[in-house]
Amino acid sequence: MQFRSVVSAALLFAFPGFAHAQVQPAPPLTGLYVGAAVGPNWLQNEHLVNSAGVAVNGSIGSGTGMAGIASVGWAFPFGLRLELEGDLRNNPINSAHDLAFPAIAGGRERKYGAMFNALYDISPWLPNPYVAPYVGVGVGYSWAR
């Protein structure tokens, strides 16, 4: 048998062991943690309501904006996480449709929000080390300006 064949066979059988040794699941998250996210924010056309509370044909259109989220929480060793989350969403207003008068739209719409979330990590039940799924519920409030 040639030396090259022996080395090739050894590498072929050793590679899965090396690959398995390098990909280990992350230890469970415990203690204080901080999170942040940023990305695009899209809004649908916002339909107008008159002073009597009746929807009218008019609507305001907006462009793509920014969304930012920050959170701080505590992770318990058995998978439960409790966190406070704040968010900001900012979109430019750029059009007005189907109004009863000629109009030019402009400005910005900003939304601020705060939430309290309870999350449960289900990643220990899944063998995939590349994702960390969780389920959760939250309650919060948002202000629009």
Side-chain angles (χ1 to χ4, degrees):
M1 197 181 237
Q2 293 182 339
F3 179 71
R4 209 172 23 170
S5 299
V6 172
V7 171
S8 297
L11 287 174
L12 180 66
F13 288 110
F15 183 71
F18 287 132
H20 180 69
Q22 293 172 357
V23 179
Q24 295 296 325
L29 180 67
T30 58
L32 183 69
Y33 68 92
V34 177
V38 65
N41 189 51
W42 294 279
L43 290 178
Q44 296 177 341
N45 285 348
E46 297 183 42
H47 294 277
L48 304 177
V49 176
N50 65 16
S51 60
V54 178
V56 296
N57 288 335
S59 65
I60 296 174
S62 63
T64 303
M66 176 279 299
I69 300 171
S71 60
V72 61
W74 187 265
F76 296 94
F78 50 89
L80 180 66
R81 292 188 288 148
L82 301 176
E83 73 176 21
L84 290 174
E85 175 185 301
D87 67 84
L88 166 67
R89 299 171 193 281
N90 189 8
N91 288 82
I93 304 294
N94 58 15
S95 64
H97 308 282
D98 299 328
L99 300 177
F101 52 89
I104 298 174
R108 302 196 82 64
E109 179 181 77
R110 289 188 179 97
K111 293 179 183 170
Y112 308 87
M115 288 193 71
F116 173 76
N117 300 319
L119 310 167
Y120 186 75
D121 291 317
I122 59 173
S123 55
W125 299 343
L126 303 173
N128 190 339
Y130 299 107
V131 295
Y134 58 88
V135 295
V137 295
V139 62
Y141 190 79
S142 212
W143 298 267
R145 183 171 180 220

